Amino acid sequence: MPVHLNPVSRTIVPVTFGLLFALLWFRPAPSAFSATQLEDRIVAVVNTDLILQSDVKRELAPEQERIRQQYHGDELSQRLKTAEYMALTKMIERRLQLQEAKAKSVDVSDHEVKQALQQMKQQGEKINEKDPLSLRNIRDQLTLLKVVDREVRSGVMVGDAEMKRYYKEHQTRFALPEEYTLSQILIQPRSADGTAEALEKARIVMTELKQGEKFEDAALRYSDGPNASRGGRLGLVRQGELLPTIERAIAPLVPGGISEIIETSEGYHIVRVDDRTPKQFRPFDEVKFEIQALVFQQKSEDVFQSWLVNLKNKAYIEIKF
């Protein structure tokens, strides 16, 4: 059935597949009319379900509080309007999915609800087991997971060709960090006013190295580093473990190359690259299952969006918002 909109209606924006699993456990169940709700108003009709303004306010409350703390003035007003509309969108999409679950006889047993309660307790959630609304919300969340698993995920397959294509197109994602074997001479100031003296000493060391002094001998004589007695050898270091200034300085060096004087908060460094292992990539067979999960998630997202659009296209949705 086509979607019918009144003159003040707005277009619905799809919510991503990932957001389905990020929905809060404790969302209000669909409101029913009562004497205390006579002043409430309907903001949306989703087939035979009604969404009231009070439902939207409860849905929006946590996000609204966050927005009020971060924004002010005109931007606050715009952010609140956007958040209110997105909250209504999510509610409409949940109603459609729950309706589809009912039509497909997707059921959640009391035992499954109890298991979910137990898991939530173990994770530190505070739950009132005697509150019917809380139990209803948990049952609805489990129903959403079940119907998506049956209608979306069960039909998603990932073949070897797709995984190999993903590996080729995203190979940098599976890169191993470059490794260096390094030695260093570290000259540290002797006092707060000793910076100039330390720099002059580093320059003397650099001059001697350029004149042919062995790096190990210079390290033994001059270095204040903890590895001075071992000729300044630092051993194996991975890319990303070094101070950025040092990493930039040694990046162009080949094995045997010595950096210029590098200033850091620790003092003045002279670094030699003894060896380096170029960037390598984890082999496909090692990351195959990781890629399978990534491709499966991506394809599931696409199928979920198509499924959700189809639910909307055949539904009667009227927004009075």
Side-chain angles (χ1 to χ4, degrees):
M1 182 180 296
V3 178
H4 299 280
L5 303 173
N6 69 9
V8 295
S9 301
R10 303 183 184 179
T11 304
I12 296 179
V13 179
V15 173
T16 65
F17 183 64
L19 283 176
L20 171 68
F21 299 101
L23 295 177
L24 297 178
W25 285 100
F26 297 104
R27 292 301 190 196
S31 299
F33 285 112
S34 68
T36 59
Q37 296 171 327
L38 290 178
E39 295 183 359
D40 210 344
R41 72 182 184 89
I42 298 170
V43 294
V45 179
V46 186
N47 291 321
T48 57
D49 283 350
L50 304 178
I51 296 178
L52 304 180
Q53 182 67 39
S54 57
D55 297 330
V56 177
K57 286 182 179 179
R58 284 191 293 270
E59 174 87 13
L60 180 61
E63 178 67 5
Q64 190 176 53
E65 179 63 23
R66 185 190 68 79
I67 291 173
R68 289 188 184 281
Q69 291 175 359
Q70 292 187 12
Y71 303 98
H72 304 281
D74 292 341
E75 186 174 8
L76 170 62
S77 177
Q78 184 59 46
R79 294 267 181 176
L80 288 173
K81 288 179 181 178
T82 301
E84 187 176 15
Y85 180 61
M86 291 305 298
L88 177 60
T89 298
K90 288 194 291 184
M91 295 179 73
I92 290 172
E93 293 178 343
R94 284 207 301 274
R95 296 292 176 88
L96 287 172
Q97 293 170 67
L98 289 170
Q99 290 171 2
E100 184 69 5
K102 184 176 181 181
K104 294 294 179 67
S105 300
V106 175
D107 188 38
V108 173
S109 67
D110 292 341
H111 177 66
E112 288 173 306
V113 174
K114 289 180 180 179
Q115 281 185 319
L117 279 168
Q118 187 62 33
Q119 290 175 0
M120 292 167 69
K121 283 184 178 179
Q122 292 173 354
Q123 294 170 0
E125 297 281 353
K126 295 181 180 179
I127 308 157
N128 182 0
E129 297 183 41
K130 297 182 179 179
D131 179 14
L133 181 58
S134 296
L135 296 178
R136 170 65 181 277
N137 291 329
I138 293 171
R139 188 181 298 275
D140 284 351
Q141 179 70 7
L142 292 175
T143 302
L144 288 172
L145 294 174
K146 267 193 171 185
V147 71
V148 170
D149 191 56
R150 179 185 296 185
E151 299 297 315
V152 176
R153 295 167 66 88
S154 64
V156 176
M157 304 295 290
V158 179
D160 281 348
E162 291 175 291
M163 290 189 285
K164 289 177 180 177
R165 183 168 61 251
Y166 186 94
Y167 178 75
K168 184 177 180 180
E169 293 174 354
H170 303 83
Q171 197 169 32
T172 55
R173 182 173 188 152
F174 308 104
L176 295 170
E178 190 169 1
E179 294 179 336
Y180 310 95
T181 302
L182 304 176
S183 297
Q184 83 160 352
I185 296 170
L186 172 62
I187 309 299
Q188 295 179 314
R190 301 299 182 186
S191 65
D193 299 325
T195 301
E197 182 182 349
L199 177 58
E200 181 59 29
K201 184 178 178 181
R203 286 171 175 164
I204 292 172
V205 175
M206 180 61 75
T207 299
E208 292 186 6
L209 289 172
K210 288 181 178 180
Q211 292 174 347
E213 176 77 5
K214 290 184 64 175
F215 193 94
E216 290 80 4
D217 293 342
L220 188 61
R221 289 171 55 200
Y222 296 110
S223 181
D224 298 317
N227 299 305
S229 62
R230 294 193 292 134
R233 285 185 63 83
L234 296 176
L236 189 66
V237 180
R238 289 183 175 84
Q239 188 178 33
E241 295 178 346
L242 297 167
L243 292 171
T245 50
I246 295 178
E247 196 155 283
R248 287 194 295 269
I250 68 172
L253 298 180
V254 298
I258 298 175
S259 72
E260 296 297 324
I261 297 171
I262 308 166
E263 182 180 2
T264 74
S265 59
E266 295 181 5
Y268 296 96
H269 307 253
I270 301 172
V271 180
R272 184 182 69 187
V273 176
D274 299 323
D275 195 10
R276 66 189 304 163
T277 303
K279 183 181 291 187
Q280 300 182 55
F281 301 92
R282 296 163 65 194
F284 173 77
D285 288 341
E286 182 181 311
V287 297
K288 181 176 180 179
F289 293 110
E290 183 180 336
I291 293 174
Q292 185 179 40
L294 290 168
V295 177
F296 180 84
Q297 179 65 25
Q298 183 177 302
K299 292 183 70 176
S300 296
E301 170 76 25
D302 294 339
V303 176
F304 174 76
Q305 290 295 340
S306 296
W307 177 69
L308 192 57
V309 168
N310 184 57
L311 291 182
K312 291 178 181 179
N313 286 339
K314 67 181 183 181
Y316 177 89
I317 302 173
E318 184 178 3
I319 302 175
K320 304 178 179 182
F321 190 58

